[in-house]
Amino acid sequence: MIFKLTYKIKQFFFGLIKLSIVIGAFYFIYQKLVNNPELDFRTFIGFLSKKDIFSLKNTLLLFFLTFFNWFFEIKKWQILVSSIKKISFKNAFEQSLGSLTASLFTPNRIGEYGAKAIYYISNYRKRILLINLLGNVLQMSITTVFGVIGLYFFVFKYQINISYNKFALFLLLGILIIPLIIFGVQKTKFTIKGFSLKKIKHFILQFPKKTLVFALFLSMLRYFVFSFQFYFILQLFGTEISYFDAMIVITSMYLLASIIPSIFIFDVIIKGSVAIYLFGLMGFNDITILSTITLMWLLNFVLPSLFGSYYVINFNLPKEN
């Protein structure tokens, strides 16, 4: 009798935690829409209503791009995890969207690490944390490569004022300091997400190379999808810009927004601020850029998190062997 009572109490509190996560996620979304310091929601709705962009064809294409954005991310998660435990696409779908909802209002989306790990028994959890870190590193690598290329073209195409003497000095200092930093890190107990660099390095070196290459390829496809979606929304809002010129700015924006330290709740604001500055140099008005950022956020974070809330509510801890 006491055992059954204890079990029921645990289940009650576990259900309360799941409900709190979903309520917290929805409250976060509500606050971002209603109390956004960058863009008033009524202004955003008014701007959309004037543009008549939501024809059936446009709406289907926007949802199609959102679907493939998350399809590639979910597929990447499936193949990375399958290196230690085979999971179905359905399992990967549940884990990816459930962890998105659970991490929506956590700093730097750090809740995603714990949320994905909790789907597995304790023997797998440390490796799951490392796999999640690896997946994020692969995506960031693609963002960095294309961002650096885009930033290079942006600086020279639009004649951005840069002190090349200061840049050369900064580069020289970087060349001299980086080896010292690396040496210092190796001699300290510096960690990333709680793991030492030595352990992370060993894990990556032992990881199946074909799986890494495939996951990197999926990261690149995902990058192409959401960057094109950004360009497509700009076109719907009536901006006159070629695909090449737009991609120069979009890739630069994602790079700069990614390297600026922040907590996730300010992610939309940071992307909006960077985008306003970069597109402002090309003469675009603020409302168009902020509306594009907001619509991207609604499609690629809010919409998937609504599906993810179902999985959070119906989540059950895995049974230990």
Side-chain angles (χ1 to χ4, degrees):
M1 183 68 181
I2 295 176
F3 174 77
K4 287 184 179 180
L5 184 61
T6 304
Y7 176 76
K8 287 182 179 180
I9 292 173
K10 285 183 178 179
Q11 288 296 98
F12 171 77
F13 279 109
F14 188 55
L16 196 62
I17 290 170
K18 292 191 292 183
L19 186 62
S20 299
I21 290 172
V22 173
I23 292 173
F26 277 85
Y27 179 73
F28 165 75
I29 292 168
Y30 171 79
Q31 287 295 320
K32 288 304 299 176
L33 292 176
V34 177
N35 299 315
N36 191 332
E38 290 289 325
L39 178 64
D40 181 74
F41 189 58
R42 287 172 295 183
T43 305
F44 171 63
I45 294 297
F47 181 74
L48 292 185
S49 63
K50 292 177 183 178
K51 291 297 179 179
D52 190 29
I53 66 171
F54 291 113
S55 66
L56 179 61
K57 180 182 176 182
N58 292 340
T59 302
L60 287 176
L61 183 53
L62 285 172
F63 284 136
F64 178 81
L65 291 169
T66 296
F67 168 79
F68 273 101
N69 177 18
W70 276 96
F71 173 82
F72 291 131
E73 177 63 18
I74 293 164
K75 190 64 182 176
K76 181 175 72 175
W77 178 246
Q78 181 192 10
I79 68 157
L80 286 172
V81 173
S82 293
S83 63
I84 61 169
K85 179 180 172 61
K86 298 294 180 182
I87 63 171
S88 65
F89 185 84
K90 181 182 177 182
N91 293 143
F93 183 90
E94 176 182 348
Q95 292 168 22
S96 297
L97 297 192
S99 64
L100 170 68
T101 303
S103 66
L104 202 60
F105 52 91
T106 59
N108 288 321
R109 281 188 61 193
I110 196 169
E112 178 190 22
Y113 289 84
K116 281 183 175 175
I118 206 171
Y119 277 96
Y120 298 85
I121 61 174
S122 55
N123 290 342
Y124 287 110
R125 286 175 187 166
K126 286 187 177 181
R127 283 177 289 173
I128 291 298
L129 290 172
L130 285 171
I131 287 173
N132 195 43
L133 176 62
L134 179 59
N136 289 335
V137 167
L138 291 175
Q139 194 67 55
M140 186 60 197
S141 299
I142 295 297
T143 300
T144 302
V145 169
F146 285 102
V148 168
I149 295 171
L151 199 56
Y152 171 83
F153 281 104
F154 185 82
V155 168
F156 285 95
K157 184 177 177 66
Y158 297 101
Q159 300 297 308
I160 305 300
N161 234 349
I162 291 179
S163 173
Y164 292 100
N165 290 332
K166 290 182 179 178
F167 179 76
L169 180 61
F170 177 79
L171 187 63
L172 180 62
L173 288 172
I175 293 171
L176 295 174
I177 291 172
I178 286 174
L180 296 176
I181 294 175
I182 293 173
F183 178 77
V185 164
Q186 289 176 340
K187 295 297 182 181
T188 63
K189 294 182 179 180
F190 178 80
T191 61
I192 299 177
K193 306 295 182 183
F195 296 98
S196 67
L197 290 180
K198 184 178 180 181
K199 187 172 184 177
I200 294 173
K201 179 182 176 182
H202 177 75
F203 181 80
I204 293 174
L205 291 176
Q206 296 299 314
F207 208 83
K209 299 301 181 290
K210 287 184 179 179
T211 302
L212 276 179
V213 171
F214 189 31
L216 186 66
F217 177 67
L218 291 173
S219 297
M220 183 171 64
L221 289 178
R222 187 189 183 207
Y223 186 88
F224 289 158
V225 168
F226 65 69
S227 57
F228 175 77
Q229 188 179 40
F230 195 103
Y231 167 73
F232 179 66
I233 294 172
L234 284 176
Q235 293 294 296
L236 292 180
F237 286 154
T239 57
E240 295 182 2
I241 184 172
S242 69
Y243 179 72
F244 178 76
D245 287 341
M247 288 305 295
I248 288 175
V249 189
I250 292 168
T251 54
S252 300
M253 176 198 72
Y254 278 119
L255 173 65
L256 295 176
S258 297
I259 61 178
I260 296 174
S262 71
I263 60 176
F264 184 68
I265 58 174
F266 297 123
D267 185 60
V268 181
I269 298 173
I270 288 174
K271 280 192 175 69
S273 301
V274 173
I276 286 173
Y277 173 73
L278 295 177
F279 280 99
L281 293 174
M282 303 174 68
F284 292 104
N285 63 69
D286 294 356
I287 185 66
T288 298
I289 304 307
L290 286 173
S291 295
T292 302
I293 292 287
T294 302
L295 189 54
M296 283 288 291
W297 181 72
L298 287 170
L299 288 169
N300 294 300
F301 287 97
V302 174
L303 183 61
S305 70
L306 297 181
F307 288 99
S309 63
Y310 169 81
Y311 294 113
V312 172
I313 290 294
N314 290 279
F315 173 77
N316 290 305
L317 286 169
K319 295 179 180 180
E320 298 285 342
N321 294 330

